[in-house]
Amino acid sequence: MADESPADGPRGERSTVEPPKSFVDRANVTAASAAAFDDWPACWERAAAMVDWTEPYDAVFDGDRSGGRWFPGGRLNASANCVDTHLAERKTQAAIKWIGKRGERRTYTYLDLYHEVNEFAAGLRSLGIEEGDVVTLYMPSIPELPVAMLACARIGAPHNVVFAGFSAAALAERMERSESEYLVTCDGYYRRGNAIYQKNKADNARISVDHEVTDIVVERLDDESIKLGDATAYDDLLSDHRGEEVEPVSRRANDPLFLIYTSGTTGEPTEVRHTTGGYLAHAAWTSHAVLDLKPEDTYWCSADIGWITGHTYLVYGPLSLGTTTLLYEGAPDHPEKDRVWELIERNAVDVFYTAPTAIRAFMKWGTEHPDSHDLSSLRLLGSVGEPLNPSAWWWYHDHVGDRECPIVDTWWQTETGSILLSTLPGVDAMKPGSAGPALPGIDVTVVGPTGEPTGAAEGGRLTVETPWPGMPLDLDADAADDGWQYVTEDVARIDDDGYVTVLGRLDDTVTIAGHRLGTMELESAIAGVEGVAEAAIVDVRSGGPVDSVYAFVSTDERHEDEARLRRWIADRVESTIGEFAVPERVVFTPELPKTRSGKLLRRLLKDIANDGELGDTSALRNPEIVGEIESALSDRE
Ligand code: WT7
């Protein structure tokens, strides 16, 4: 990607930036404490010490570098760790500060959270939910969502949060796969002033799920016409259990805390199950060491709770440390493009964690927006989700951090549960464009196509070589000659100093609204539309608030009414996946670019869509198609 920063000068990609002394002096992790963290797996005892255990574990790790289980024998409860633990010292401190879509504000102190989590947990039990039952949560960013997560954790019922923007069909599929018989949803919510009827989607999902589903509905819309039917109202359930307390269930370290679905190359959602002990320890430790959270901080992670970032760094990490976590339901540019900076100023946010796509949108909207606010409360900035390109890095550093805040570019995945690569903000120099070294206690390398080691600087598939506490149950790892490997789909380069630069993903996935989706999922939805022969999805850097995708579609009959087809495609994507995944543009082409062996050349489409250099097209069976696609694309500019 083209970048305006000079390649070599003081602000170039290869330059390093030292963390400011003012930060270093107060950092949670210092050079001395980091240095003591090198004896694997014993070093992870330090992470486990951040968590309260009801039964001590027998060993930090049972196994060897070739795999095993973390903290066997240990017992704990994640809800007790996020709530009860803090009652002694910060009953009246805010745990969650919520700002709703319509500017509503609600603050839950740790004591408020304690009561609501207990009452809701008692309510869940009264509906017959027992330890081990999977409870699906299908809500936008409203406080009832973290309350429900913590209530599930309290009774040992793994939660299965499904992003609120997913369609009924996507929800039903996730409930079927997880055999989940319980659903907590809401009647609806507002988007840019319009009501979205979430309960309609939930009802449609219920119809297509084979088993019985019991549901609870948060009433958010204030709309008398919405009938709850046989569902229980969230507020009624709370008042029926007013003042009740539920003893947190003592869970084994390797009992699942939650499940979450992600996308891979296959067209099917992949289930990832995270543990209670290792996950929570890793989440708490990285929140402390990388995000540098302190209990007195107000911290804002802009991710949606429906994805792993929200689980780990909006709910479990910050709450286990006793921090105040900000939950913002609205859009970053509504009512004005300075909304994010206004909220940081008004809430005196100390640490802000967001995604590169958001940072690039902020850049596009202009420096006048951050410049018109007092952002001096900020101490640290974070990024996750994609490579943070150097020009966006510098913009974030200069205009948001006022050159005073270190930036942590954190690399991790749904599968890793917590951060694996990042600088430690009070210890390591930063290199714009590079995520940084593996955290203490983590080993990574790069491998060639068949798993063999390659020259680190040449690049290869990023591979984790030793187990880490936040790893999920049933991780898809491989046995290697000298141990164990978790080979990711990311291509990366490792410099001599161990800094890792992530270059991109190998598999056919795209990022939409900051989330990973398989191209297959989208392409097969579109190919299901009558008149469509084939579809290819690529992502584009549009510079909007979220990156989006284009669909290149070849049709059965050239004469099909394109406007109608476009509408059908949008409808189909909305109903099978969700409105958020509807491609920004549909470009019709007589054929897709293919190699002689019939393989789709997605890279070429990506270059065309992003106005990039086309590179070598000699492998194409149908080179003439390139011109046709380019003109189809510019037709509608
Ligand atoms: C993929 C994981 C984990 C949080 C959000 C996404 C990409 C993530 C970085 C980073 C470069 C990054 C990788 C990774 N990614 N963080 N700092 N630099 N790439 O979770 O949907 O599981 O996606 O996001 O490609 O594999 P996810």
Side-chain angles (χ1 to χ4, degrees):
M1 173 188 184
D3 205 285
E4 56 264 35
S5 287
D8 299 309
R11 305 210 128 198
E13 186 173 347
R14 318 304 305 155
S15 61
T16 59
V17 183
E18 293 296 331
K21 184 166 184 307
S22 54
F23 185 92
V24 173
D25 289 345
R26 295 181 52 206
N28 283 346
V29 172
T30 61
S33 58
F37 207 104
D38 54 7
D39 177 21
W40 188 96
C43 55
W44 286 106
E45 194 140 17
R46 195 154 355 138
M50 306 207 69
V51 168
D52 289 338
W53 299 81
T54 49
E55 290 279 342
Y57 46 84
D58 302 326
V60 173
F61 186 70
D62 178 23
D64 50 28
R65 284 183 182 266
S66 60
R69 290 272 185 250
W70 288 90
F71 311 118
R75 285 183 170 267
L76 74 165
N77 183 283
S79 169
N81 267 282
C82 290
V83 186
D84 309 35
T85 313
H86 308 305
L87 294 185
E89 283 180 35
R90 37 190 152 267
K91 256 192 190 124
T92 58
Q93 183 199 306
I96 299 174
K97 268 181 135 182
W98 176 68
I99 298 133
K101 278 249 160 91
R102 310 183 121 192
E104 312 97 303
R105 302 185 63 95
R106 227 194 281 165
T107 297
Y108 288 67
T109 63
Y110 274 97
L111 189 60
D112 294 331
L113 190 61
Y114 174 81
H115 286 301
E116 192 154 327
V117 166
N118 272 277
E119 287 164 0
F120 195 61
L124 292 175
R125 278 240 175 102
S126 72
L127 295 174
I129 301 174
E130 293 175 1
E131 186 174 358
D133 289 340
V134 175
V135 181
T136 301
L137 309 178
Y138 183 53
M139 283 177 270
S141 293
I142 53 177
E144 289 83 353
L145 177 52
V147 168
M149 291 163 80
L150 294 167
C152 287
R154 198 164 192 90
I155 62 172
H159 54 71
N160 170 31
V161 179
V162 177
F163 173 58
F166 270 124
S167 66
L171 171 64
E173 176 159 27
R174 284 155 180 77
M175 292 191 72
E176 285 278 0
R177 283 173 183 265
S178 60
E179 296 176 13
S180 174
E181 297 175 5
Y182 302 93
L183 174 65
V184 187
T185 185
C186 63
D187 52 3
Y189 57 96
Y190 299 94
R191 196 169 54 210
R192 299 196 183 267
N194 299 319
I196 309 282
Y197 293 95
Q198 188 77 348
K199 188 168 182 299
N200 289 351
K201 289 198 285 177
D203 288 344
N204 288 336
R206 261 179 20 146
I207 294 164
S208 56
V209 170
D210 276 342
H211 52 257
E212 281 289 303
V213 175
T214 301
D215 56 358
I216 300 168
V217 178
V218 177
E219 290 170 292
R220 169 113 168 76
L221 286 184
D222 227 0
D223 180 342
E224 303 273 299
S225 71
I226 300 173
K227 297 280 170 277
L228 291 196
D230 53 11
T232 307
Y234 178 95
D235 284 339
D236 292 346
L237 201 59
L238 286 190
S239 43
D240 288 350
H241 297 275
R242 179 83 59 229
E244 286 181 31
E245 293 182 51
V246 173
E247 182 66 27
V249 171
S250 179
R251 297 278 280 165
R252 285 184 302 225
N254 287 289
D255 284 336
L257 175 60
F258 64 85
L259 5 161
I260 184 163
Y261 287 86
T262 185
S263 297
T265 306
T266 66
E268 306 198 334
T270 313
E271 182 180 287
V272 177
R273 289 191 304 151
H274 279 293
T275 67
T276 307
Y279 169 83
L280 195 68
H282 199 157
W285 188 74
T286 47
S287 298
H288 168 82
V290 179
L291 299 176
D292 197 55
L293 297 186
K294 309 183 200 295
E296 59 274 21
D297 283 344
T298 295
Y299 156 71
W300 184 9
C301 166
S302 71
D304 192 285
I305 297 179
W307 312 102
I308 192 71
T309 309
H311 283 59
T312 307
Y313 295 113
L314 205 155
V315 179
Y316 288 110
L319 294 179
S320 65
L321 298 183
T323 303
T324 299
T325 184
L326 202 83
L327 178 60
Y328 177 56
E329 193 194 7
D333 56 350
H334 190 82
E336 297 298 335
K337 290 195 165 59
D338 68 341
R339 182 62 168 156
V340 168
W341 321 119
E342 177 191 30
L343 289 172
I344 289 175
E345 178 174 4
R346 286 173 60 154
N347 294 283
V349 170
D350 297 275
V351 178
F352 180 52
Y353 192 32
T354 192
T357 173
I359 299 168
R360 290 192 292 265
F362 301 148
M363 281 173 80
K364 194 179 166 203
W365 296 342
T367 56
E368 65 270 27
H369 301 297
D371 289 352
S372 64
H373 290 277
D374 175 6
L375 305 180
S376 60
S377 59
L378 288 170
R379 181 176 82 246
L380 175 72
L381 301 172
S383 168
V384 61
E386 283 175 86
L388 179 61
N389 50 301
S391 59
W393 194 100
W394 282 110
W395 189 90
Y396 201 27
H397 176 261
D398 292 354
H399 297 286
V400 181
D402 198 22
R403 305 178 187 193
E404 300 274 336
C405 301
I407 295 175
V408 284
D409 177 354
T410 64
W411 179 93
W412 58 295
Q413 311 179 300
T414 306
E415 292 87 340
T416 71
S418 291
I419 299 167
L420 296 194
L421 304 181
S422 171
T423 50
L424 290 169
V427 178
D428 299 312
M430 298 160 274
K431 283 196 202 175
S434 162
L439 290 180
I442 303 290
D443 284 316
V444 296
T445 187
V446 288
V447 301
T450 54
E452 74 284 4
T454 71
E458 286 149 41
R461 289 173 73 171
L462 181 62
T463 298
V464 192
E465 289 191 294
T466 40
W468 64 95
M471 70 191 211
L473 297 161
D474 327 307
L475 178 72
D476 188 11
D478 308 319
D481 288 348
D482 51 355
W484 177 95
Q485 286 185 323
Y486 167 62
V487 184
T488 73
E489 297 288 336
D490 283 21
V491 181
R493 186 185 74 215
I494 307 183
D495 294 344
D496 289 343
D497 54 9
Y499 277 57
V500 180
T501 302
V502 178
L503 303 166
R505 281 185 73 93
L506 269 183
D507 61 358
D508 289 331
T509 56
V510 286
T511 303
I512 305 183
H515 314 299
R516 196 197 322 166
L517 266 191
T519 49
M520 268 272 282
E521 284 167 78
L522 269 161
E523 287 162 4
S524 55
I526 296 174
V529 172
E530 211 183 305
V532 170
E534 255 189 314
I537 290 287
V538 300
D539 40 6
V540 280
R541 286 265 167 85
S542 60
V546 293
D547 289 339
S548 57
V549 299
Y550 285 6
F552 292 88
V553 172
S554 66
T555 49
D556 276 347
E557 296 153 54
R558 298 286 326 261
H559 308 294
E560 187 57 65
D561 173 356
E562 288 188 358
R564 188 146 38 118
L565 213 46
R566 233 177 263 285
R567 212 166 47 242
W568 286 351
I569 289 170
D571 288 350
R572 179 65 65 103
V573 173
E574 180 169 350
S575 66
T576 51
I577 301 169
E579 209 228 36
F580 74 98
V582 172
E584 183 174 299
R585 289 189 62 182
V586 175
V587 181
F588 291 106
T589 165
E591 269 181 77
L592 295 175
K594 298 269 178 80
T595 61
R596 285 188 192 82
S597 58
K599 196 176 171 328
L600 172 70
L601 268 182
R602 198 188 303 281
R603 155 73 40 203
L604 185 77
L605 287 173
K606 203 169 167 159
D607 290 344
I608 297 175
N610 286 289
D611 295 327
E613 287 282 309
L614 285 195
D616 185 13
T617 56
S618 63
L620 275 182
R621 184 189 60 200
N622 49 353
E624 70 289 350
I625 205 70
V626 173
E628 296 213 35
I629 296 173
E630 281 174 329
S631 75
L633 197 60
S634 57
D635 269 0
R636 314 209 130 243
E637 231 46 283

